[in-house]
Structure formats: structure tokens, C-alpha cells
Amino acid sequence: MASPPVLPKLVGERVKRREDPRLIQGRATYVDDLKIAGMQHLAFKRSDVAHGRIRSIDVSAAEAMNGVEAVLTGAQIAEMLAPMPIGTPFPSPPHRAVAMDVVRYAGEPVAVVVASNRYTARDAADAIVVDIDPLPVVVDPEAAMTGQPTVIHPDFPNNLAVALVPSGTGVTPDGKVDDTAIDKAFADAEVVISQRMMNQRLVPNAIEPRGVVAHYEPGKGSMTIWSSTQNPHILRTMIAAMTGLGQDQVRAIAPEVGGGFGAKINIYGEEYVAAAISKRLGIPVKWVEDRSEAFVATTHGRDIIGYVDIAAMRTGKVLGLKLRLIADIGAYNMLLTAAIPTLTMLMANGTYAIPAIRTTLTEVFTNKTPTDAYRGAGRPEATYFLERAMDMLARELQMDPGELRRRNFIAPDAFPYATQMGAVYDSGDYGKALDLALEASGWKDLVVERDAARKDGRLVGLGLAMYVEVCGLGPSSSLPTGGWEHSQVTIERDGRISATTGASPHGQGNETTFAQMLADQFSVPIEHITIHHGDTGVVKQGIGTFGSRSQAVGGTALHLAGGKVKAKMARFAAALLEAHEDDIVFENGRIGVKGSPASARTFAEVAGYAYVPVPLPPGLEPGLSEGAFFEPANNTYPFGCHISMLEIDRETGEPKLLKLVAVDDAGHLINPLIVEGQIHGGLAQGIGQAMVEEAVYNDDGQLLTGSFMDYALPRATDFPRFELHATVTPTPVNPLGAKGVGEAGTLGSTPSIVNAAVDALSQFGVTHIDMMLRPEKLWRIIQGGQA
Amino acid sequence: MIPTTFEYARATSLGDALQKLKAAGEGGRLIAGGHSLVPLMKLRLSEPQVLIDISRIPGLSGIDEHDGRIIIGAATVHHDVASSAVLQARCPAVAEAAASIGDPQVRNRGTIGGSVAHADPSADMPAVLLALDAEIHIEGPDGGRVVTASDFFLDLFTVDMRADEIIASVQFTPVRSAAYAKLYQRASHYAIVGVAASLDVSGGAIASARIGVTGATSHARRLINVERALAGQPLSTATIESAAQLAGLELDEVNADIHASAEYRRAMVQVFTRRALSAAMARS
Ligand SMILES: Cc1cc2nc3c(=O)[nH]c(=O)nc-3n(C[C@H](O)[C@H](O)[C@H](O)COP(=O)(O)OP(=O)(O)OC[C@H]3O[C@@H](n4cnc5c(N)ncnc54)[C@H](O)[C@@H]3O)c2cc1C
């Protein structure tokens, strides 16, 4: 018999994404593609003013319109829905899905229309007359902290959502604070750098705005809810709780999801309202966010001020770091809002062994759209503050920025490394990443090039930034949802493989990477494998996709479930082949006995036998389907080094990114092609924050950058060719050694670019520039310097 | 992002369009590429009742040269202007301005007639048409008329045209030594400031110059003082440098928004005037 074709090993290979053809050919199904007979459409009437008391809402004209089924105000919605829960243990003011008496940001819903089609619904929403008594508006968090000119939530004096939480050296878990070490660090220091830095507000801007279809079937007493979400299982839990149904009675489905970037973790008022209305009226309803709504109604990201003080010796040795954080969280606490800046505190060490650190965190309500996770979620902020401060220190000491960093790195033999911020870094070799970045970028040559350009009068700068982030979230002790993932792997009767994952992808490519893993594990063709996700009716359990956790946690659960099925399958094969299960080998689509390939059976034959087991081997149940939960003992801590070269037009202040070299260490890579794609996307957003993106509000609380005409997204033409390199430091936290890479690109790029911009303009005496690098801002520095 | 209800009719000829426009009355509106009108409709800032589509009228699009004049049909899309071999060879400033507009989607749909009629304060084409001393050819119920670009752009989104008229074409004598230079607004790619400069050079001297600026003020306008300072001077970098110094000084009420203050815009008018003039000189 001819031996079967040899199947190539796929893990570690650049396999093209299997999900792409349908996505780029318009053959995928998104929420807005769903149609159900009898389905009605929702439109939300939203407040135009940022702060005010609702005097009256006149819905009569809207109700009278042809095709309008119902118009509901906040009071009516409140009869169906309790205030929305949050997912963090912080105190939080009541937050209604539809405002009842006070509106607190422009875009907050005040009424909802149910109508026969989307156009009628929108026309009816326009016909609702809302009379609002304006209240004073506050958009500046530092002003808001004074309690003037307004207090947004009566139970939160001075608008403090979270008041001054300390963390770091000398802070005990019960909140006792001992400042001896940090005070000494600053007393002993030869150099102290202090800077206020703004990490500006960003709009996440997924290509697909949010959307939801809720279908309550009164006859069955159960609900199906489709939503463009990153975590259908959390959605299911929350919808069940809010609508009074059991989790067994709610099925949540995330069909194709066109990007999330953290903003689709939160469970939104519109989702609860759709579910509640469907249940009340007994009809399916759909709501799809339009782009203008997405700008104000979907959570924003970042918006945190850091007062950074760094104490060091002239040798470059850093003694201490103070980081006073003021986070502008907007008008309400959302699912994870309050926790995001705690990740900034957690990562205050960066890649350095800093003897003493004191961070404090204050979170402030303002009359703006609420913030929540945005790609990187808290860690880009930490990286930015620290890496800018390190750069300022290097400049002050006239030391090479790489060298300064090297002198402070956590040593490669110090891992696992427990920081005083509460993190335990799993593994790392920061010097190696720095070395590779310096070498790959040709740093020394770049310095020569930069200096030569300066002699010609050009404003060229170089910037470098290290980063380490916390990924693979994370043991259940750190996540109120639970920190595990689940997978079920089933060998079907025909020998094909169905596998589920609770890590619901929305661009991460799990359908490819997870199939690669199973293909290798079972030695079957990847075409024989389907990865199911995003449907709680199919995927038994799960948490979701955020915090760069899919591969490290979800991938591991899959690997474990696969291992269980494989062991069982080996026992069936052993029975069939009259061999010992330890001698069974899976090879090229066949299962045989070690050393005697001729006796091997096809994978499908063994699978078929497992489902019609005559005779049933003793001690075995029929079938091949096993599930596994994986709870990591710790997070993973990927890291890297990004280097940028940037030129600023002397006459206009326009910055141009000339070069970007990224070294990223995410441990073992399942698919380098997908990893690079993730890094490219992250870099685009990191560059966007540094150079072109900024949500700007006026003093009345109106978002001035409420469309793509005014809110810039970086374009391909804004980028140099990304030069990517990797070091590989596996994590001991999971058997795959994989760390996570979904957010990494946003961490190092941003500070490296601002560092380069400051370098380019250093001749004008500037030591810090707040983002974004608006041409006029840079032009003013140049003008001031010349004057 | 959902417009109010409207009716839609496609015009088959200019006469048909004029008639449909008249029949529609107050609520009637022409649509060409829709790249200024449709965004307004989606935001419900514009709520026309009838759209009359002129984008497929035979003969209304295309670029021709007749007796030394270039004629661009009103419905010609920016992409066709940008990629026109005739324009690239004979009047590259127009092609480069069209190429700088928005992004490929915008350039494949938006038209020169729509751009001129809409008269966005940051639109590119008006500046170029001013610099080229172009004519706007308009058809109306009572026949045709011709308005020069200098007389056409009156104020913010305001031009010398009645609601029952249609722009048929823009026409100009090509100038090789003309150029367009633009500071991009990073979100929309409209001009924060855009300057078109056209030089009439003979015997090493500037016989006359025309300069159009957009983005800086309520509507595109000429920089008369700079034009005067150039006229009759030798064609040289020094001439350009010194004339450009005047750019911006004569502008009052300079635009300001989150992207650029008035002070910065004024300074950029000077920078981009110099750049446009230098590029024009390089083509002479
Ligand atoms: C994202 C984006 C970026 C853009 N960037 C730029 C840019 O960088 N530079 C720039 O200059 N422009 C830019 N534009 C505008 C673009 O050039 C438009 O296409 C142009 O302004 C209008 O042309 P249109 O054919 O789309 O007109 P439409 O939107 O169809 O019409 C606009 C107005 O003109 C009227 N109209 C149209 N044709 C005629 C006619 N023949 N006679 C009389 N009235 C007429 C219509 O009734 C309407 O009032 C941008 C647009 C978008 C959406």
C-alpha cells in the first residue's frame, strides 16, 4: 500500500488566515445582515446637551407616525430594567440604560422608538421633542475635581469616582501607606525629572459599529441575542440577569464582528434595551449603531493625566518613580472603566528594577462619553508615562537612551520577578530585545544620519521605547468574570474535527491558529477542522477576547481538550489494532502502531468505530468529544523595544514618520504571519495616537471630532514600511509558551514616536510634547525657538 | 446617518435636468458625485425632497481642448482630471490639485462641477480656477451665461448661481507654469491651506501672476498684493521669496478651527504661496 502523503507541521508556519476570503469578499454575516420575520427596528433619541435636567419629553408626534410600534422614555424603560451593573468592585452611581431625569453627556439616550423599519424609527426619533434645562458642564477632569462648576453625580462629591488610591512600595494590601522608601529615593537622588503628561482621549472606531438583534420567543420562554461583541458569554450572563431569565434561557451570538479594540467588551444599554423590549413586546428587534452615534455612544479610550517624577543618580541608576494619575472616565462607570487605570499602576515598573515606586490613582467624572478599554487598556498609558520620563532623564544626563534603559533593566536571571506593584513577570530578557532593536535598526548609523540631516537644517529625531505588558488575562482572582477559557474538541463520526473556543475572535484569526494546533496534534489536514466560536448555544463556556488572552488562555484550553480526546481516541485505536495505547501513533491522517505502519487505520475509521463501538472496549464510553477549562496560574508579560525616526517640516510643523522598527517578544508563535498582522494593526493605532488621533471636546461638552472629517485615522500612506523582528522568550505559564500579542503594537510605538519628535525639536529647548503631534503645535515650538 | 425621505430622478440631458429642477421647485436639488451633498443629507443638515442626478448626462463629463482652451465638463470626476494626459502635459496644476482631493473613493465620485457649486471654504478646485482665470459656464432656464472664477466665489458656500441653474463646464487657457501646493487636514484631506499660483513668464521675467488661495478664508480668493508684487519682476527665487512675504497679510477674518488657528493659517498661506510659486517657476 502506498504511504499517505506527509502532512506538514503547521504550528510556527505562516498559514494564511482561513477566515479572510469570506470577510474580504463580502460573504460574511454581521449583525446588520440578520433578518427575522416580524422584526422591528429601534432608534434611540439622544441628548444634544452634555448636562441637563429633563423637563419633559413629548413623544406624541412620534407615536402618531405610520409604522411606529412604540416610543419608550427612560421612565418606561426603568420599569423593565434595573440600573446597569459594572464589572469592577468600585462604588458607582446608578446608570440607567435610558436617562430618566438628568442627562450627563451629549449622546446619552433619552428615549427609544420601535418601528417597522430603520428609516421610520429614525424619523420618529427626530420627531420626539425633549425639553432639557441645561446644567453647568465640566469637561476638564482637574477642574471637575474641585467640584466646580458642577457635581455630576450627587453621591460623588468633587466628581471623584475613585479618590486617590495609593499603590507601590510601602503600601500594604490593607491600604496602609509607608512613604519612607520613596521619600528616601527622592532625597538621595542627584537628578529629579518632573513632568505632567497628557495621554489623550481616543475614539476606538471599529469598522463595524455596534449592533444587536434580540429575539425573545414567548412560546419557549427563551431569548436569542446577536450582538457585535467581544464576549458573548459575558453578554449572556448579563442579559439573563437583567431580563430575569436564567442563563439556560439566553443564547448569545456574536456573529462576524468587525473589530472591537476593547470598546465591544462593555455590555451596553442598547443591548439591554433591545432584550427588554423584545421580551416585553414578544417580537424580534434590531438596533444598528450609525457612525455618528458610534462616535458618542460607544466607549472612548485613554484620557488620563500622569504627573510623573523620576529620581535618579547621574550614573543613570533610577532610584524612584512617582506617578500620580488622574483618569477622566467620562459621565459613567462602564463594565471595566474603573479597572483600566489600575493596569497603568500595575505596570508602573515597565522593564526596570526601580527600587521605590509610589503611584496614586484618582478617577474623575466629567460630562463626556464614558471611557473603557481601548487596545492596550492601561498598559500603553503606563508605557508612555514611563518611557517618556526615561527619555527625559536620558536627555538630562546626556546619555544614550538605550544605555540608560539597559542600566535599569530587570536582570534576565531575576524571573519570575515580583514587582512592588503586585505583578509577577513570568519571563523576560529585555537586554536581548534592546540589542536586537539597536542592531536591526542600525541605531548607530541612524544617529549619524540624523546628525548629518541636522547639519543640513532638517529636523530629524530618533526615539526608542521599551515596553512590557500584562497579557493572557488572567487567573480568576483578577477577573470578576473568571479568568479561564474553555474548549470542546469533538472528533466527528466522519473523522473531521469540530472544536469550540470561548475566546470569541473579532479579527484575531483564531479559526486559523487553533486549527493549525489541532492539525498538528492529530496529524490531520487543516481543511478537516472547523473552529466554532461566538455562540453560547454551541460553545458551552467561555469568557471572551480581550487582554491579549486568546492564544495564551483559549489556545491552551483547546490544546488540553485536544489532548483528552486524543488519549481516548488512542484507546479506541488500541482496541481496534489489538495494541497497547502507549504504542499508538497519529501520523498523516492515519492511526497505527509504532513501528508497523502497514496496520494503520484511517483517522475516519477509528472515529467511526468510536461512535459504533462493536465491541465496546472495556472501560470506555462511546464517542469522541472532550472539554477542558484552562485557568492560568499567572498572566503573561510580553515585551519589546520599538524605535522610530521622524522628521518635522521646519516651515509647517508637519511630522513624517521615516522609520519604525519593532522588536516584539510574545513567546512561542503559532503563526508568525498572523502575529505580524496583529502587530501591524497595533502599530497603526499606536502611531495614530502619537500623530493624528485626538477626541476634542469644547467647553459645552460637544465632541468636535464627531466624524471622520475631523477625527483622523492614520492612513497607509502615513506609514513607513514596518520593520518587524522578534525575540522568543517562552512563558512557563502555559504549555504552549505563548504570551499574547494583540495589543503589543500600541505600547512601544507611541512613546518612541513622541521621543523622536522631542529629539527632533530638542534644539528649540523643548523637553516634552503632549500628543497628538499636531503640526501647529510643533510649528509653535519651532517659532518660539527661533524667536 | 440616515437621510430623510427623498425622491430620485436621473436626468438624461442638460435640458431634461433643467426641466426636472424647475418642476421640483424649492425641494429640488442636483446631485453629481454626492460627496458633499450626501454627507449633509445623512446628518440631516440638508433635506432635499427630489434629487436630480446629473452624473450620467452624456456630454457633461470629459476633458477637451478647443482653440487653445481646455473645457472640463461639470460632471467630470476628480480622478479623470487627475489622470488626464492633456492636463498633465498642458496644465499640470489642475491635475495635481485634483489628485490631492480626499481619497480614491472621493476622487472616483466627486466632480469638478459639484466642487465649484458647493464652494466649500477648504475645497481645492476653486483656488486653481482662480489662478487660471477660468470661466464657469452656466446653463439656466433662460439660456447660458459665463462667469469668471473671480466673480463666481462670493462667500461661505455661496456662489454666483441661482437654484435653477446648472454648471455645464469650466473653461480656461492652459498654463504650464502653474502649480498647486496644499497643507492637508489629516482627517478629511481637505486643505487647511491650499495655494495655486500661475505665472505668465516671458523673457526671464514675470509678465503677470495669478494666485488663488483656499482654506484660509470664508471662500477661495486671489492674493492681489502678491500678484502685483510679482508682475514685471525678474523670474527668480529672490522675487518669489519677497513677494510671498506679502501673502496672508492682506487676508482679514482668517478661518480658525481645531485643526489650525488663524495665526497658523496665515503663516501657512505665506509658506504655501512660496511653495506654489517655486513649483510654478520650476515648470516655466
Ligand atoms: C471624505 C471626503 C474628503 C474630501 N476631501 C476633499 C478635498 O480634499 N478637497 C476638496 O476639494 N474636496 C474634498 N471633498 C469634496 C469632494 O471633492 C466633493 O466631491 C465635491 O466637493 C462636490 O462634488 P460632487 O460631485 O460630489 O457634488 P455633490 O455632492 O453631488 O453636490 C454638491 C452640491 O453641488 C451641487 N451641484 C453639483 N453639481 C452641480 C452642477 N453641475 N451645477 C450646479 N450645481 C451642482 C449640488 O446640488 C449640491 O448642492 C471631500 C469629500 C469627502 C466626502
Side-chain angles (χ1 to χ4, degrees), chain A residues 388-612:
Chain A
R388 277 267 54 240
M390 289 299 274
D391 220 63
M392 291 177 71
L393 180 60
R395 194 165 294 285
E396 170 70 25
L397 299 176
Q398 296 184 321
M399 192 178 283
D400 177 79
E403 181 55 29
L404 172 73
R405 285 163 170 91
R406 192 188 304 282
R407 290 185 188 185
N408 290 285
F409 280 152
I410 296 163
D413 58 6
F415 295 88
Y417 180 85
T419 74
Q420 61 267 62
M421 308 312 299
V424 182
Y425 292 178
D426 55 342
S427 63
D429 191 340
Y430 305 140
K432 206 161 130 194
L434 174 64
D435 288 341
L436 179 57
L438 292 175
E439 187 202 305
S441 66
W443 177 267
K444 285 201 184 109
D445 297 336
L446 294 180
V447 170
V448 172
E449 201 181 316
R450 174 196 66 187
D451 294 346
R454 284 186 184 169
K455 288 222 173 69
D456 295 340
R458 290 165 59 196
L459 303 174
V460 176
L462 279 173
L464 176 153
M466 297 297 304
Y467 77 86
V468 54
E469 67 168 334
V470 49
C471 286
L473 310 184
S476 293
S477 55
S478 68
L479 277 177
T481 52
W484 40 265
E485 248 334 316
H486 179 264
S487 174
Q488 179 89 20
V489 176
T490 303
I491 314 299
E492 304 290 2
R493 301 171 76 126
D494 60 359
R496 293 180 65 104
I497 301 180
S498 302
T500 71
T501 176
S504 180
H506 44 280
Q508 290 78 6
N510 303 7
E511 286 179 32
T512 304
T513 48
F514 286 12
Q516 282 174 261
M517 289 168 57
L518 291 174
D520 279 9
Q521 197 169 18
F522 290 95
S523 194
V524 295
I526 190 168
E527 295 76 21
H528 290 187
I529 300 166
T530 300
I531 305 295
H532 298 277
H533 56 80
D535 180 346
T536 66
V538 174
V539 183
K540 282 185 179 170
Q541 291 295 340
I543 305 294
T545 291
F546 49 85
S548 301
R549 68 194 299 277
S550 297
Q551 186 60 52
V553 190
T556 303
L558 177 99
H559 175 76
L560 297 179
K564 284 191 195 175
V565 190
K566 191 176 176 185
K568 187 171 179 189
M569 198 170 185
R571 292 178 67 189
F572 276 111
L576 206 57
L577 296 166
E578 294 175 354
H580 192 274
E581 63 190 79
D582 292 347
D583 296 331
I584 297 296
V585 287
F586 290 66
E587 232 168 27
N588 301 322
R590 300 172 72 85
I591 304 177
V593 183
K594 205 182 291 169
S596 54
S599 65
R601 301 297 183 89
T602 67
F603 197 77
E605 278 176 275
V606 180
Y609 170 54
Y611 286 96
V612 188

Side-chain angles (χ1 to χ4, degrees), chain B residues 29-30 32-37 78 102 110-111 123-124 167 182 189-190:
Chain B
R29 198 71 182 267
L30 299 175
H35 268 60
S36 290
L37 184 56
H78 304 314
T111 66
D124 299 295
I167 297 170
K182 167 178 180 179
H189 274 203
Y190 268 99

Side-chain angles (χ1 to χ4, degrees), chain A residues 708-709 715, chain B residues 14 21 28-40 46 51-52 54-55 60 73-78 97-98 100-103 106-107 109-120 122-126 138 152 161-163 165-169 180 182 184-185 187-191 214:
Chain A
F708 290 131
M709 283 305 213
R715 304 178 187 215
Chain B
L14 254 184
L21 195 54
R29 198 71 182 267
L30 299 175
I31 183 165
H35 268 60
S36 290
L37 184 56
V38 173
L40 292 174
S46 176
L51 290 184
I52 298 135
I54 57 169
S55 64
L60 202 61
T76 310
V77 298
H78 304 314
S100 81
I101 291 173
D103 50 50
V106 175
R107 295 195 291 274
R109 279 279 176 194
T111 66
I112 192 165
S115 179
V116 171
H118 189 63
D120 189 289
S122 303
D124 299 295
M125 275 306 161
I138 300 171
F152 186 73
M161 193 177 63
R162 291 199 314 270
E165 291 182 314
I166 301 179
I167 297 170
S169 66
Y180 184 65
K182 167 178 180 179
Y184 286 91
Q185 196 258 69
S188 68
H189 274 203
Y190 268 99
T214 188

